[in-house]
């Protein structure tokens, strides 16, 4: 059933009893052309674009629990493409363009709100880096504007712009096309749309083994039996080392806890996304009214989905440095995800030493915004057995050649 | 109207302390000991709020932090609390509170239009619409955002302060009810250090309003005795108004203590709230249980409340929640409420119980209370206050109405759907949960940390049993602190509180709204809709409907939602499972989490010994790491460029003085110190003589430059390494890492001495003349102290080291004296240099001078992706050394590739145009295309200044294959506009370096 | 917040420590003798065990000494701590 105001009206009359399932819950078949391991946003988007862009519909997405509850359902939903390196800029900008039409594409309101993403600078060094990033963005055709302190004060009146602050603000950079989206809607929207194209979404199906024959992947063992597959794509974020380990593939990835928190809901006070890498503040206000605040990540490997409490404290100290008026608001909920971090803080999307086995990982703290683009290029990579032009520099080989995509080093960009 | 519903006697309130307060502008009276909720109920006020989505009238449902409904704004001005829960707000004289989320008033709220349209607004409606026309979402969103949110955030800075405290103890007991008191008592008998924390103003929990006798004493007396005993023990601390909000790794529990929120005029000496971070060897969770609602039609009508809350209002606050009550219960605890209501003079119209007649019902009937067994309340009636309920016989599974409906007039409905142990903290600790089918609730299962649960939190709902169990837990916890191998407690036998599951009562009206989560306006139909659409996983259903996602985190409704989800999907509740219990248990003030380290105390500010002088001299500062360094020293009427020009020319023509104390300094001693240097720097160090210094580049293992600096050999086995100001900590950590972990055989010792020495750089053709004015044992002549020489001796009678190092290209002396003499040295030098026109210079002039010389600055010319070869510093990379950190990486295929970005100079064709640092560079051929992206970028400007010496703007840049493109014209794209420039050597001034050797 | 048992100072909160990741990494003794691929593995590929892992920690705001820790990355339970240069406890080799 197509979602629209009319279907909503029609169902309202019927007491909402005729809405169908958003996606089927099929038993797994014994063979699929392509098996995607991981039912987060990236895996579901990959399945969707396999069907939509390449006509490959004999696809299963295997998820060990319910879909969309890993990093997709835990992130702070910032979408932007304000990257310095060309490789990153092109990939994220492609994703951003897909975001702009995604609700229509999926017939599911992803609530993508282009409320702008503002980065703040506190040192002259950061200003120069911002100038560099803005320059690179413009020449890549990505919108951006440099902002003065006065611009910032006008735009975000509750920002503390006094030069007596411990870290006085010097300027900012805004990407107006950036913003927020609804995280759950991405998982559900892609799942529903992929399902409509014939993709099997199989929840509560944990992959326990990856079978190979003659250096080639032939299927996966799961908690629901063996599933043979022509090709296997792995998109499991924090668990990528574990799943790829089943195939004997070691990755340059470490999984770290990343925390976030929300305040109690209040009436609108902040209409844009604010990111301040220097003082580690990342926040926006959700449509429901909560301040959605990202904290720093811990630096130890963890699969526990819990982080160190002192990082929350440090985050909120820094937050009050920028927004003293939030002091009396209250933290309502805090949580953590497991983020898969590559040494250069850029993703790995490509082939592996095992034929017909592909990996999509290393998104670290910034994978949500890439979801549509990631699925797009990963589907392409799986179908063609070679990377899409957008991900040709995001392969595993770069860790041998030294051709890193070092966004973190190059711009001090906090993801 | 004044406290018409206050009982003439009883309660734990101070009747001799009447307090005036105002709610929605109307004045009322209550007593000390009241909460805002109990005081409102005493005055017959039930309508206190409007709901989040539908703006339905809402009353008071609970009596504590579980309250989903009664959200109000408390206080005024900067001290406002936007979303306070009336049941936890202690009354004080002059308290002012208002309803939130309603306009123009809570009685008449235009937002209630949402209720009319509610058929269009089922769970997840927003995922299905607002998509037309394409990209119009933001227009819809504008209105949605305004409609959402609860209260308004304060707009003024917070006048209160917050405090943090660390505490360690053997046993932390969370919850001061009967179980908590008993557990703390038992644990502290052996002398263990115990903390008992309770979220209420006074410990006691349900004993404060219970009529029962405990161990032969009146409940309140037992409780007071227990607390008195605890307080008398030296090693016991009893905290009240302290909510355990989060249970973290390794038994760290955070407590939020509300220190002054209950006082109208907080004394200035006290913080508003205090965050305790308690690290406990053992934690006993004795957090009690939370009663849950039953979903029936219009169960959100003001006047419908939880049975336990009604009992608490009667017993603790001596408030009748109404005049005529209906009790609706599926377990025996509801009968206690009926008895208490009846005893207080409230007419009990009936107890409605879906179960067949049992012993409790028979006892009630014996007392003359009417019991409708096998029946359920199927609807509440009334608008802003309940006026009656409809009750009807229901099938044994509670799903269908099987008889005639009866209307029972009432103004209060007390509901008990069963009790859920408050397992939130237990679950946060990592402890597993098990489902107790008899009591129909989740109870603690196996623990993961050193945690146990006792009392109602452990599913023991009868007081005697709860106390017995808690004593065992307390003793065991204390014993475990001494002997971790001690055998754990044996759980005593349970006398269960049997609950017949009834999550949702049937209704006549198909569209009846039966609320599950009152705060988020989620109904049973929403849960069913979620399940119908495939959101059957409990976490999906939660997110799709938003149940349990508001400030109460679903304390009274979550298990009801699980029950309904289980029923509509044909699963058991254990199969459905629970959502994650995320911290905090109750919301925590951001100010309390931030504590005192805010504002100016956000980060330490490092100051050099000369900082005050710079301030007095009117310097403009810039942050460098935690330091603040003078950027320039403007004179009257000067702007930055004029001041910088003057400072630069002074150095080139006469002499300048720079406070370089922030330079990182690491003292390295030991027989293998030189081996260490050889391994961490790219160049060779074994031939450096005593009394000489050398510049070095340090690479990460991936071959990228990460710091640079000059290291002096002060003695046979003694070196002093300098680092960049911002890199000092990183370099020290880097060296320690290698020395301690990889090169454990090296005998070299590191001491960070950055703050021990004040460093003054005197630079310029007259530098020697200035220094010579000071009494010194150090021979400053070029022969005795040549360029890159270092001498130690005394200067003005204090120990000093003077090195001939230069970052400006001029004759330059870097003078180090113990930090406490720094200011004296600085003042002596400025006085001695007065006749030569000595000029203090800031970091900006320093940068101009070093850029004129083509010297790199870490962070400008390097960004973590630049090798020494990229910088054209091959001469600094030893070919003779077998190895140094990062060497191997330089040979990787991409790192060794030709055509990488390389450091070059850049001169704009127009000498007066200065390009912004960071600007991208494109080939001259692409200059005309910069407005039509994408345009390939070949490099960027890494440093850019106006050179006073050359009277020309100069820039350093990293450009692809730059060294092979000398003299090529390129375009620097400045804020979108191309500026023509020519690639040059990066050495603009004195390329042969003759001035250095003066 | 973890409680890390520093072998020199005793148990302290993790906010005082720096984590160094995988322990017992051996730097190739002759870097020039290894291939780009082997060097890349040494540089960038780290253990990322779901379960018990041996890792390095440094008491940055205490004694500034590096040491090894055996930690469960799922429960965060710390099973052992031992000085740099010492072999792991028998059970965790």
């Amino acid at each position: 059933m197509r979602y629209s105001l009319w279907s909503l009206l029609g169902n309202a009359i019927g007491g909402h009893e005729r809405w169908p399932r958003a996606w089927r819950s099929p038993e797994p078949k014994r063979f699929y052309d392509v098996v995607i391991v991981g039912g987060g946003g990236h895996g579901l988007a990959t399945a969707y674009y396999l069907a939509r862009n390449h006509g490959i519909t004999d696809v299963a997405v295997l998820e060990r629990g319910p879909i969309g509850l890993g990093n997709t359902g835990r992130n702070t939903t910032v979408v932007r493409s304000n990257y310095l390196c060309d490789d990153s800029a092109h990939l994220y900008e492609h994703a951003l363009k897909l975001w702009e039409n995604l609700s229509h594409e999926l017939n599911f309101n992803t609530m993508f709100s282009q409320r702008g993403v503002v980065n703040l600078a506190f040192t002259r060094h950061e200003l120069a880096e911002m100038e560099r990033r803005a320059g690179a963005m413009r020449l890549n055709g990505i919108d951006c504007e440099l902002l003065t302190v006065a611009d910032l004060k006008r735009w975000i009146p509750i920002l503390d712009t006094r030069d007596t602050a411990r870290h006085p603000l010097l300027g900012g950079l805004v990407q107006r096309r950036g913003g927020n989206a609804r995280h759950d809607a991405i998982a559900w929207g892609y799942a529903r749309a992929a399902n409509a194209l014939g993709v099997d979404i199989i929840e509560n199906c944990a992959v326990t083994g990856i079978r190979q024959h003659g250096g080639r992947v032939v299927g996966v063992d799961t908690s629901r039996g063996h599933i043979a597959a022509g090709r296997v794509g792995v998109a499991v974020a924090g668990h990528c080392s574990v799943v790829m380990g089943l195939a004997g593939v070691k990755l340059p990835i470490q999984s770290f806890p990343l925390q976030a928190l929300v305040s109690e809901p209040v009436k609108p006070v902040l209409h844009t996304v604010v990111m301040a890498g220097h003082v580690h503040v990342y926040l926006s206000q959700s449509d429901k009214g909560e301040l959605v605040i990202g904290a720093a990540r811990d630096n130890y490997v963890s699969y526990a989905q819990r982080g160190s409490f002192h990082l929350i404290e440090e985050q909120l100290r820094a937050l009050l440095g920028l927004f003293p008026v939030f002091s009396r608001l209250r933290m309502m909920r805090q949580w953590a995800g497991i983020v898969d971090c590559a040494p250069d803080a850029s993703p790995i999307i490509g082939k592996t030493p095992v034929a017909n086995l592909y990996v999509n990982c290393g998104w670290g703290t910034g994978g949500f915004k890439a979801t549509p683009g990631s699925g797009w290029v990963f589907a392409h990579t799986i179908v063609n057995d070679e990377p899409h032009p957008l991900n040709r520099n995001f392969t595993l080989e770069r860790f041998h050649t030294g051709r890193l995509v070092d966004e973190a080093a190059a711009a001090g960009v906090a993801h | 109207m004044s406290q018409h519903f206050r009982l003439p006697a009883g309660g734990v309130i101070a009747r001799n302390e009447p307090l005036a307060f105002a709610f929605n502008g109307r004045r009322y009276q209550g007593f000390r000991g009241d909460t805002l909720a109990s005081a409102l109920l005493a005055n017959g006020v039930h309508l206190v709020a409007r709901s989040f989505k539908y703006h339905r009238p809402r009353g008071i449902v609970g009596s504590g932090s579980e309250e989903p409904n009664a959200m109000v704004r408390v206080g005024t001005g900067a001290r406002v609390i936007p979303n306070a829960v009336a049941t936890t707000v202690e009354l004080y004289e002059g308290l002012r509170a208002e309803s939130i989320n309603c306009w123009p008033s809570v009685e008449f709220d235009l937002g209630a239009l949402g209720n009319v349209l509610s058929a269009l607004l089922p769970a997840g409606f927003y995922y299905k619409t607002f998509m037309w026309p394409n990209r119009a979402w933001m227009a819809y969103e504008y209105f949605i955002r305004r409609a959402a949110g609860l209260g308004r955030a304060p707009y003024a800075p917070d006048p209160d302060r917050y405090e943090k405290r660390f505490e360690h103890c053997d046993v932390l007991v969370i919850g001061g009810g009967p179980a908590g008191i008993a557990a703390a008592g038992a644990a502290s008998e052996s002398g263990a250090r115990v903390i008992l924390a309770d979220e209420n103003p006074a410990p006691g929990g349900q004993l404060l309003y219970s009529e029962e006798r405990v161990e032969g004493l009146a409940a309140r007396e037992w409780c007071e005795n227990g607390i008195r005993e605890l307080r008398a023990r030296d090693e016991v601390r009893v905290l009240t108004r302290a909510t355990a909000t989060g249970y973290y790794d390794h038994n760290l529990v955070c407590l939020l203590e509300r220190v002054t929120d209950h006082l109208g005029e907080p004394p200035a000496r006290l913080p508003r709230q205090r965050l305790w971070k308690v690290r406990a060897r053992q934690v006993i969770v004795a957090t009690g249980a939370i009663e849950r609602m039953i979903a029936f039609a219009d169960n959100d009508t003001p006047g419908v409340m939880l049975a336990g809350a009604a009992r608490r209002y009667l017993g603790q606050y001596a408030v009748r929640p109404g005049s005529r009550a209906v009790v609706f219960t599926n377990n025996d605890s509801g009968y206690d409420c009926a008895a208490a209501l009846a005893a207080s003079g409230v007419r009990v119209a009936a107890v409605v119980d879906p179960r067949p007649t049992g012993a409790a019902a028979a006892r009630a009937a014996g007392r003359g209370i009417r019991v409708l067994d096998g029946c359920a309340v199927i609807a509440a009636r009334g608008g802003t206050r309940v006026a009656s309920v409809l009750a009807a016989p229901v099938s044994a599974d509670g799903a269908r109405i099987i008889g005639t409906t009866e209307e029972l007039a009432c103004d209060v409905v007390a509901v008990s759907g069963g009790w859920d142990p408050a397992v939130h903290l237990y679950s946060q600790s990592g402890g597993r949960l098990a489902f107790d089918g008899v009591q129909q609730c989740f109870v603690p299962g196996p623990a993961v940390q050193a945690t146990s649960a006792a009392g109602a939190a452990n599913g023991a709902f009868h007081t005697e049993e709860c106390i017995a169990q808690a004593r065992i837990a307390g003793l065991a916890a204390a014993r475990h602190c001494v002997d971790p191998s001690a055998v754990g407690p044996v759980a005593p036998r349970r006398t269960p509180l049997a609950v017949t599951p009834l999550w949702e009562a049937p209704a006549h009206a198909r569209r009846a709204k039966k609320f599950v989560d009152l705060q988020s306006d989620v109904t049973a139909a929403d849960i069913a809709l979620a399940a119908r659409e495939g959101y059957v996983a409990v976490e999906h259903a939660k997110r799709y409907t938003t149940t349990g996602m508001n400030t109460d985190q679903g304390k009274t409704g979550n298990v009801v939602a699980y029950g309904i989800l289980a029923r509509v999907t044909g699963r058991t509740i254990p199969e459905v499972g629970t959502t994650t219990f995320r911290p905090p248990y109750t919301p925590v003030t951001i100010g309390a989490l931030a504590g005192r380290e805010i504002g100016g105390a956000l980060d330490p500010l490092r100051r050099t010994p000369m900082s005050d002088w710079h301030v007095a001299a009117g310097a403009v500062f810039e942050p460098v790491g935690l330091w603040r360094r003078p950027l320039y020293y403007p004179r009257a009427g000067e702007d930055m460029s004029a001041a910088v020009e003057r400072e630069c020319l002074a150095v080139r023509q006469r002499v300048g003085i720079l406070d370089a104390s922030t330079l990182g300094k690491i003292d390295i001693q030991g027989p293998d110190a030189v081996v260490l240097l050889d391994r961490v720097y790219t160049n060779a160090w074994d031939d450096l003589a005593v009394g000489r210094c050398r510049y070095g580049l340090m690479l990460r293992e991936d071959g990228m430059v990460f710091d640079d600096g000059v290291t002096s050999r002060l003695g046979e086995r003694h070196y002093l390494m300098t680092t960049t100001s911002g890199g000092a900590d990183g370099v020290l950590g880097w060296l320690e890492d290698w020395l301690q972990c990889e090169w454990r055989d090296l005998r070299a010792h590191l001491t960070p001495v950055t703050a021990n020495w004040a460093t003054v750089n005197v630079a310029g053709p007259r530098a020697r003349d200035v220094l010579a004015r000071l009494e010194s044992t150090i021979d400053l002549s070029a022969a005795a102290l040549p360029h890159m020489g270092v001498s130690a001796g005394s200067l003005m009678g204090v120990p000093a080291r003077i090195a001939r190092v230069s970052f400006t290209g001029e004759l330059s002396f870097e003078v180090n004296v113990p930090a406490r003499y720094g200011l004296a040295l600085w003042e002596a030098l400025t006085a001695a240099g007065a006749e030569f026109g000595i000029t203090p210079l800031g970091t900006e002039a320093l940068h101009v001078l070093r850029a004129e010389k083509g010297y790199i600055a870490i962070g400008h010319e390097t960004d973590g992706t630049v090798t020494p070869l990229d910088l054209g510093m091959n001469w600094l990379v030893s070919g003779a050394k077998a190895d140094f950190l990062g060497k191997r990486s330089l040979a990787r295929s991409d790192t060794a590739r030709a055509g990488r970005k390389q450091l070059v100079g850049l001169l704009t064709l127009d000498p007066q145009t200065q390009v912004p640092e960071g600007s991208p560079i494109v080939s001259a051929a692409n200059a005309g295309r910069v407005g039509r992206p994408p345009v390939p970028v070949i490099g960027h400007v890494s440093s850019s200044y106006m050179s006073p010496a050359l009277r020309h703007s100069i820039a350093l840049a990293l450009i692809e294959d730059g060294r092979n493109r000398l003299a090529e014209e390129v375009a620097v794209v400045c804020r979108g506009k191309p500026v023509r420039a020519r690639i040059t050597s990066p050495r603009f001034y004195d390329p042969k370096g003759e001035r250095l050797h003066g | 917040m973890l409680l890390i048992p520093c072998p020199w100072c005793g148990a302290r909160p993790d906010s005082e420590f720096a984590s160094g990741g995988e322990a017992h990494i051996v730097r190739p003794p002759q870097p020039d003798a290894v291939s780009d691929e082997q060097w890349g593995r040494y540089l960038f590929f780290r253990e990322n065990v779901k379960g018990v892992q041996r890792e390095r920690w440094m008491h940055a705001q205490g004694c500034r000494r590096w040491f090894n820790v055996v930690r469960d990355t799922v429960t965060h339970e710390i099973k052992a701590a031992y000085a740099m240069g010492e072999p792991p406890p028998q059970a965790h080799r």
Side-chain angles (χ1 to χ4, degrees), chain A residues 183-203:
Chain A
H183 53 8
D184 292 332
I186 293 316
W188 300 341
Y190 271 119
R192 176 168 166 271
N195 173 79
L197 295 175
V199 171
D200 280 359
I201 291 156
I202 299 165
E203 297 176 278

Coordinates of all heavy atoms in Angstrom, one line a residue, chain A residues 183-203:
Chain A
H183 N 16.5 8.5 12.0 CA 17.3 7.3 11.8 C 16.5 6.0 11.5 O 16.8 5.3 10.6 CB 18.3 7.1 12.9 CG 17.7 7.1 14.3 ND1 16.4 7.1 14.6 CD2 18.4 7.1 15.5 CE1 16.2 7.1 15.9 NE2 17.4 7.1 16.5
D184 N 15.5 5.8 12.3 CA 14.7 4.6 12.2 C 14.1 4.5 10.8 O 13.9 3.5 10.2 CB 13.6 4.5 13.2 CG 14.1 4.3 14.6 OD1 15.2 3.7 14.7 OD2 13.4 4.8 15.6
A185 N 13.7 5.7 10.2 CA 13.0 5.7 9.0 C 13.9 5.2 7.8 O 13.4 4.7 6.8 CB 12.5 7.2 8.6
I186 N 15.2 5.4 8.0 CA 16.1 4.9 7.0 C 16.1 3.4 6.9 O 16.0 2.8 5.9 CB 17.5 5.4 7.3 CG1 17.6 6.9 7.1 CG2 18.6 4.8 6.4 CD1 16.8 7.4 5.9
A187 N 16.2 2.8 8.1 CA 16.2 1.3 8.1 C 14.8 0.8 7.6 O 14.8 -0.1 6.7 CB 16.5 0.8 9.5
W188 N 13.8 1.3 8.2 CA 12.5 0.8 7.8 C 12.1 1.2 6.4 O 11.5 0.4 5.7 CB 11.4 1.4 8.8 CG 11.7 1.0 10.2 CD1 12.5 0.0 10.7 CD2 11.2 1.7 11.4 NE1 12.5 0.0 12.0 CE2 11.7 1.0 12.5 CE3 10.3 2.8 11.6 CZ2 11.4 1.4 13.8 CZ3 10.0 3.1 12.9 CH2 10.6 2.4 14.0
G189 N 12.5 2.4 5.9 CA 12.1 2.8 4.6 C 12.9 1.9 3.5 O 12.2 1.5 2.6
Y190 N 14.1 1.7 3.8 CA 14.9 0.9 2.8 C 14.4 -0.6 2.9 O 14.3 -1.3 1.9 CB 16.4 0.9 3.1 CG 17.1 2.0 2.4 CD1 17.8 3.0 3.0 CD2 17.1 2.0 1.0 CE1 18.5 4.0 2.4 CE2 17.8 3.1 0.3 CZ 18.5 4.0 1.0 OH 19.1 5.0 0.3
A191 N 14.1 -1.0 4.1 CA 13.6 -2.4 4.2 C 12.3 -2.6 3.5 O 12.1 -3.5 2.7 CB 13.4 -2.8 5.7
R192 N 11.4 -1.6 3.6 CA 10.1 -1.7 3.0 C 10.2 -1.7 1.5 O 9.6 -2.4 0.7 CB 9.2 -0.6 3.5 CG 7.8 -0.5 2.9 CD 6.9 0.4 3.7 NE 5.7 0.8 2.9 CZ 5.6 1.8 2.1 NH1 6.7 2.6 1.9 NH2 4.5 2.1 1.5
A193 N 11.1 -0.7 1.0 CA 11.2 -0.6 -0.4 C 11.9 -1.8 -1.0 O 11.6 -2.2 -2.1 CB 12.0 0.7 -0.7
A194 N 12.9 -2.3 -0.3 CA 13.6 -3.5 -0.9 C 12.7 -4.7 -0.9 O 12.7 -5.4 -1.9 CB 14.9 -3.8 0.0
N195 N 12.0 -4.8 0.2 CA 11.0 -5.9 0.3 C 10.0 -5.8 -0.9 O 9.7 -6.9 -1.5 CB 10.2 -5.7 1.6 CG 9.1 -6.7 1.7 OD1 9.3 -7.9 2.1 ND2 7.9 -6.2 1.5
A196 N 9.6 -4.6 -1.3 CA 8.6 -4.5 -2.3 C 9.2 -4.9 -3.7 O 8.5 -5.3 -4.6 CB 8.1 -3.0 -2.4
L197 N 10.6 -4.8 -3.8 CA 11.2 -5.3 -5.0 C 11.6 -6.7 -5.0 O 12.3 -7.2 -5.9 CB 12.5 -4.4 -5.2 CG 12.2 -2.9 -5.5 CD1 13.5 -2.1 -5.6 CD2 11.4 -2.7 -6.8
G198 N 11.2 -7.4 -3.9 CA 11.5 -8.9 -3.8 C 12.6 -9.3 -2.9 O 12.9 -10.5 -2.8
V199 N 13.2 -8.4 -2.3 CA 14.3 -8.8 -1.4 C 13.8 -9.4 -0.1 O 12.8 -9.0 0.4 CB 15.2 -7.5 -1.0 CG1 16.2 -7.8 0.1 CG2 15.8 -6.9 -2.2
D200 N 14.4 -10.5 0.3 CA 14.0 -11.1 1.6 C 14.8 -10.5 2.7 O 16.0 -10.6 2.8 CB 14.3 -12.6 1.5 CG 13.3 -13.4 0.8 OD1 12.3 -12.8 0.3 OD2 13.4 -14.6 0.6
I201 N 14.1 -10.0 3.7 CA 14.7 -9.5 4.9 C 14.5 -10.5 6.0 O 13.4 -10.7 6.4 CB 14.1 -8.1 5.2 CG1 14.6 -7.1 4.1 CG2 14.6 -7.6 6.6 CD1 13.8 -5.9 4.0
I202 N 15.6 -11.0 6.4 CA 15.5 -12.1 7.4 C 16.1 -11.7 8.7 O 17.3 -11.6 8.8 CB 16.2 -13.4 6.8 CG1 15.5 -13.8 5.5 CG2 16.2 -14.5 7.8 CD1 16.3 -14.7 4.6
E203 N 15.2 -11.5 9.7 CA 15.7 -11.0 11.0 C 15.9 -12.2 11.9 O 15.5 -13.3 11.6 CB 14.6 -10.1 11.6 CG 14.4 -8.8 10.7 CD 13.3 -7.9 11.2 OE1 12.1 -8.1 10.9 OE2 13.6 -6.9 11.9

